[in-house]
């Protein structure tokens, strides 16, 4: 089963279509990803802050949705993993999206297990097949990284006390 998942995910990665750029409301895309991924665990509070109700971005809606969904799902899995070890705590994901003149900044923070176990290898986190998950393929973040790069952006993984922080900047 795990090999089958790996083959399917690699096939998706290899066949990833070129982005089709259209003006999309990135806040709407983010809200769709939050709604979909929150189905994994309803006990996790996901808070979205934005400086504008509508932020237009020339992007491939499906691919950007995949980025947000993957990152939020990773945060949820990290929080679940921590709660299995430590028991009950306030499970939180906060997402902030800021529309600035020449770029859009998205900051995602969670209070899951964080990056401590890989902080010396953090640069490897987007390498294909690098994973810290028992059943992970190591392709999720490499796909996320490729999509962000294809959209004139960059992603940064930042270890913080009591969780993880991810910063994405898209140049307009």
């Amino acid at each position: 089963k795990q090999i089958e998942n790996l083959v399917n995910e690699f096939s998706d990665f290899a066949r990833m279509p070129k982005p089709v750029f259209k003006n999309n409301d990135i806040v709407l895309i983010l809200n769709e990803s939050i709604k979909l991924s929150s189905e994994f665990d309803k006990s996790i509070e996901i808070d979205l802050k934005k400086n504008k109700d509508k932020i237009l971005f020339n992007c491939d809606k499906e691919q950007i949705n995949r980025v947000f969904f993957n990152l939020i799902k990773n945060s949820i899995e990290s929080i679940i993993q921590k709660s299995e070890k430590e028991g009950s705590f306030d499970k939180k994901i906060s997402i902030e999206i800021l529309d600035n003149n020449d770029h859009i900044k998205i900051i995602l923070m969670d209070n899951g297990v964080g990056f401590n176990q890989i902080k010396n290898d953090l640069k490897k986190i987007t390498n294909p097949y690098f994973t810290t998950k028992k059943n992970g393929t190591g392709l999720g973040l490499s796909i996320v990284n490729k999509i962000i790069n294809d959209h004139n952006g960059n992603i940064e993984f930042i270890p913080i006390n009591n969780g993880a922080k991810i910063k994405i900047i898209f140049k307009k």
Side-chain angles (χ1 to χ4, degrees):
K1 181 82 179 147
Q2 188 176 0
I3 291 173
E4 184 182 315
N5 288 344
L6 185 64
V7 168
N8 289 338
E9 200 162 331
F10 181 73
S11 296
D12 287 349
F13 184 61
R15 284 184 281 121
M16 253 181 78
K18 291 215 180 300
V20 177
F21 293 95
K22 291 182 182 166
N23 252 348
N24 289 289
D25 181 359
I26 198 164
V27 174
L28 194 63
I29 297 170
L30 191 49
N31 274 318
E32 287 172 10
S33 295
I34 290 169
K35 186 177 179 186
L36 188 61
S37 55
S38 66
E39 295 297 316
F40 287 112
D41 188 329
K42 301 255 189 212
S43 71
I44 298 173
E45 177 189 331
I46 303 176
D47 180 41
L48 175 63
K49 291 184 174 78
K50 54 198 181 302
N51 68 343
K52 293 181 183 167
D53 287 334
K54 187 173 188 173
I55 299 173
L56 292 179
F57 180 52
N58 194 26
C59 65
D60 184 306
K61 181 180 179 185
E62 299 302 316
Q63 290 188 10
I64 294 300
N65 194 359
R66 187 172 187 170
V67 165
F68 294 146
F69 179 76
N70 191 298
L71 293 174
I72 296 167
K73 182 174 77 71
N74 284 354
S75 287
I76 289 169
E77 289 169 351
S78 172
I79 290 169
I80 290 169
Q81 186 182 344
K82 182 176 178 178
S83 71
E84 287 169 355
K85 286 182 195 166
E86 297 183 15
S88 184
F89 62 95
D90 285 340
K91 304 171 195 168
K92 292 185 180 175
I93 299 171
S94 71
I95 304 168
E96 185 175 21
I97 181 165
L98 303 167
D99 184 3
N100 296 314
N101 292 335
D102 60 343
H103 68 279
I104 297 168
K105 183 182 349 183
I106 299 144
I107 297 171
L108 186 147
M109 291 197 319
D110 68 56
N111 62 348
V113 294
F115 300 124
N116 282 338
Q117 67 182 31
I118 56 162
K119 67 180 168 200
N120 297 332
D121 287 329
L122 217 42
K123 289 190 181 348
K124 293 181 186 174
I125 203 167
T126 57
N127 289 354
Y129 309 114
F130 180 85
T131 185
T132 58
K133 296 178 188 173
K134 193 166 61 174
N135 295 318
T137 61
L139 289 173
L141 290 178
S142 60
I143 292 170
V144 162
N145 189 50
K146 179 180 181 350
I147 292 170
I148 291 171
N149 288 335
D150 287 350
H151 284 79
N152 200 22
N154 64 38
I155 185 168
E156 190 180 349
F157 300 90
I158 305 160
I160 58 172
N161 287 338
N162 200 27
K165 178 177 179 179
I166 297 169
K167 182 168 74 172
I168 301 169
I169 295 183
F170 291 113
K171 294 180 189 79
K172 288 190 191 176

